[in-house]
Amino acid sequence: MSQINKLKIFNDPIYGFITIPNALIYDLIQHPYFQRLRRISQMGLSYLVYPGANHTRFHHALGCMHLMQKAVDALRFKGILISQEEENALYIAILLHDIGHGPFSHAMERSIVEDVHHEAISLLFMNQLNVEFKGQLTLAIQVFKGEYDRKFMLQLISSQLDMDRMDYLKRDSFYSGVSEGNVNSERLIQMMNVVDDVLVIEEKGIYSVEKFLMSRRLMYWQVYLHKTSLVAELILTKILKRAKELTQKGVHLPCSAPLSFFMENKVTIDTFDTSTLDLFAQLDDFDIISALKSWQKQDDFILSSLSKMIVNRDLLKIKLTSEKVTVEELQPLKERFALEHNISLLETNYFIFKGKIKNQAYSKEAEPIRILNKDKTIEDVVDASDQLNLKSLSKLVTKYYICFPKQLL
């Protein structure tokens, strides 16, 4: 195929036209590993709350790459030297940063693929692609792992103000219709600079940074930690745990072969070899949804009841509180539910449980967002800002929740 055919253009509802910079990027996008992201929703089960939130991780990865192109242009304009090879490494690393996400990612990480985080799987995919592409991803992998000496390159991919966050806040706010998340990524990128190989934001961009952090906080409370999306994800985690438990006991549950493999085997990062990776690459949202539809008809009361909840959007009741919930408070509910449905007290944990969520828009412990003042001094955005609310944005807010069936009200 001639190279000219590979310089394609995508039409994106947020940025307009996104261009593919070269043939290697085109070939990576065309790879089945990457195409799988078209079948993985960016916001998990949030569409149960915001019906428009059906966009995919494929969308998001392309958006991140587009913003990275803008960032490279803006920094070069300011005299920052970025070689052709470094530029390409940035595009590849940001394009593939989420490639390790499984279907409904966080529910997967807590149930079927236990304790193997998507970042680790992303790295496995990148290493495998590097073999297939004869070492052309080596520098991108170095940057992604933070092993490259130019620190700002990692900051563009993963920090408190990176292309990933800029795209998902803007994209998720667009598709969910929650306008509070609409950040001005264009201006933020234009305000970026590099001093001693570290990323800084010029002083006149400070209000855009404040707006960005505020948008992040609002999006977390209003969208990502919305109580209905939260309870749906918790139910899905319980379903997958129960399905795995039953499979391990020898119960045959109808589902796709790749999903069946992860149900039957305990997969850890050490056992995640190439064939496991290939099976993981065949998993997407459709495997899970199709399994839930079948599992509604299973004999197991727990599995069928929970599966019906997601398919029909008839979820558990969830209550948020600022006070810790005690085990004793749940006990009478559990006893009543166990009696009504002839299940053991232990099994009621699938329906009645507690937990907590945390929200921190800006962390003082992590790599700071640095502001470059006019006098060339550099300080943390919280110290540079005259806004008192930035101090409160760096506070960790914890809320507690309790989930239980509606009929127990």
Side-chain angles (χ1 to χ4, degrees):
M1 192 188 284
S2 69
Q3 190 150 321
I4 202 77
N5 291 342
K6 296 189 175 183
L7 300 180
K8 300 277 185 195
I9 290 174
F10 285 97
N11 196 347
D12 183 76
I14 294 169
Y15 309 119
F17 294 119
I18 292 179
T19 54
I20 295 181
N22 57 52
L24 172 60
I25 300 286
Y26 174 87
D27 291 337
L28 285 169
I29 291 171
Q30 278 297 90
H31 196 283
Y33 285 170
F34 193 81
Q35 288 293 319
R36 176 185 78 100
L37 298 180
R38 288 183 184 272
R39 301 184 300 279
I40 294 194
S41 135
Q42 171 70 14
M43 288 173 67
L45 290 161
S46 292
Y47 63 82
L48 294 175
V49 182
Y50 299 103
N54 271 311
H55 55 300
T56 65
R57 292 200 176 270
F58 182 86
H59 251 135
H60 164 61
L62 289 177
C64 291
M65 182 193 71
H66 172 74
L67 291 181
M68 188 64 87
Q69 287 171 291
K70 298 273 182 212
V72 168
D73 289 347
L75 292 175
R76 277 188 177 152
F77 183 72
K78 290 178 184 176
I80 310 302
L81 293 176
I82 298 172
S83 71
Q84 195 67 54
E85 198 191 356
E86 287 172 332
E87 176 184 2
N88 228 19
L90 283 170
Y91 297 159
I92 294 167
I94 197 68
L95 191 67
L96 304 180
H97 77 282
D98 265 354
I99 200 168
H101 269 290
F104 304 107
S105 49
H106 304 294
M108 278 288 285
E109 282 176 18
R110 290 196 283 264
S111 54
I112 297 186
V113 187
E114 294 141 286
D115 306 323
V116 185
H117 290 290
H118 65 267
E119 288 98 343
I121 302 175
S122 289
L123 206 49
L124 292 170
F125 272 125
M126 286 161 106
N127 287 327
Q128 183 58 30
L129 286 166
N130 200 25
V131 173
E132 289 182 34
F133 284 87
K134 299 184 173 51
Q136 292 183 84
L137 282 72
T138 305
L139 184 59
I141 292 169
Q142 264 187 305
V143 172
F144 184 78
K145 288 164 79 173
E147 290 171 0
Y148 192 57
D149 57 358
R150 302 192 75 185
K151 192 175 174 182
F152 81 90
M153 289 177 66
L154 175 64
Q155 289 172 294
L156 288 170
I157 294 155
S158 177
S159 66
Q160 298 205 70
L161 187 63
D162 55 26
M163 302 304 121
D164 175 33
R165 289 183 183 190
M166 276 188 219
D167 182 80
Y168 76 63
L169 287 173
K170 204 172 173 69
R171 190 168 298 279
D172 297 349
S173 113
F174 176 87
Y175 281 97
S176 60
V178 177
S179 56
E180 284 81 357
N182 188 7
V183 296
N184 191 345
S185 49
E186 287 282 315
R187 178 161 171 82
L188 282 164
I189 288 170
Q190 290 307 320
M191 293 297 114
M192 286 181 167
N193 209 331
V194 172
V195 177
D196 297 331
D197 272 335
V198 171
L199 195 66
V200 294
I201 302 289
E202 291 164 3
E203 191 182 342
K204 55 182 182 286
I206 193 164
Y207 299 117
S208 302
V209 177
E210 287 172 359
K211 164 81 166 55
F212 168 83
L213 293 173
M214 203 62 195
S215 300
R216 184 172 149 78
R217 177 177 177 271
L218 292 170
M219 283 295 284
Y220 267 83
W221 284 135
Q222 218 169 326
V223 179
Y224 308 129
L225 296 175
H226 186 289
K227 61 179 192 165
T228 308
S229 320
L230 176 66
V231 75
E233 190 174 287
L234 291 165
I235 293 169
L236 182 57
T237 308
K238 300 271 182 193
I239 293 171
L240 295 173
K241 275 194 168 146
R242 180 62 172 179
K244 186 156 188 165
E245 195 180 300
L246 292 169
T247 306
Q248 308 259 327
K249 283 181 183 165
V251 178
H252 173 70
L253 296 177
C255 64
S256 70
L259 185 53
S260 186
F261 171 84
F262 286 97
M263 302 278 235
E264 287 163 11
N265 298 285
K266 182 168 172 55
V267 177
T268 63
I269 194 67
D270 302 326
T271 58
F272 221 107
D273 56 16
T274 314
S275 60
T276 310
L277 191 67
D278 280 335
L279 281 165
F280 185 85
Q282 292 170 48
L283 276 181
D284 55 48
D285 289 6
F286 295 91
D287 296 75
I288 304 289
I289 295 293
S290 139
L292 295 184
K293 285 164 72 180
S294 306
W295 295 346
Q296 292 179 98
K297 299 176 180 64
Q298 284 302 302
D299 295 336
D300 183 68
F301 167 74
I302 297 169
L303 189 65
S304 66
S305 307
L306 294 174
S307 298
K308 281 175 192 158
M309 286 181 192
I310 299 283
V311 175
N312 305 319
R313 199 198 176 276
D314 187 8
L315 308 167
L316 294 170
K317 179 83 184 148
I318 179 169
K319 280 188 173 171
L320 288 178
T321 153
S322 50
E323 303 295 317
K324 265 189 176 163
V325 185
T326 64
V327 178
E328 290 74 46
E329 286 173 68
L330 300 182
Q331 203 54 30
L333 293 174
K334 288 184 171 186
E335 285 167 9
R336 202 177 120 200
F337 194 73
L339 205 62
E340 280 174 18
H341 295 281
N342 196 24
I343 58 173
S344 72
L345 270 176
L346 186 66
E347 288 172 330
T348 61
N349 290 333
Y350 279 104
F351 298 92
I352 302 163
F353 49 89
K354 64 188 183 73
K356 62 182 175 185
I357 47 174
K358 294 175 177 176
N359 186 0
Q360 187 177 27
Y362 182 72
S363 166
K364 291 280 278 181
E365 279 71 60
E367 179 81 37
I369 296 175
R370 297 177 176 85
I371 300 295
L372 174 65
N373 295 317
K374 288 193 178 69
D375 62 5
K376 297 287 182 265
T377 56
I378 293 173
E379 55 184 336
D380 188 321
V381 66
V382 173
D383 304 321
S385 166
D386 55 5
Q387 290 276 59
L388 288 170
N389 63 9
L390 275 204
K391 299 257 191 309
S392 59
L393 284 182
S394 50
K395 278 203 185 85
L396 182 66
V397 181
T398 304
K399 287 187 183 178
Y400 301 91
Y401 61 79
I402 163 174
C403 302
F404 55 90
K406 288 182 182 138
Q407 63 262 40
L408 293 178
L409 274 173

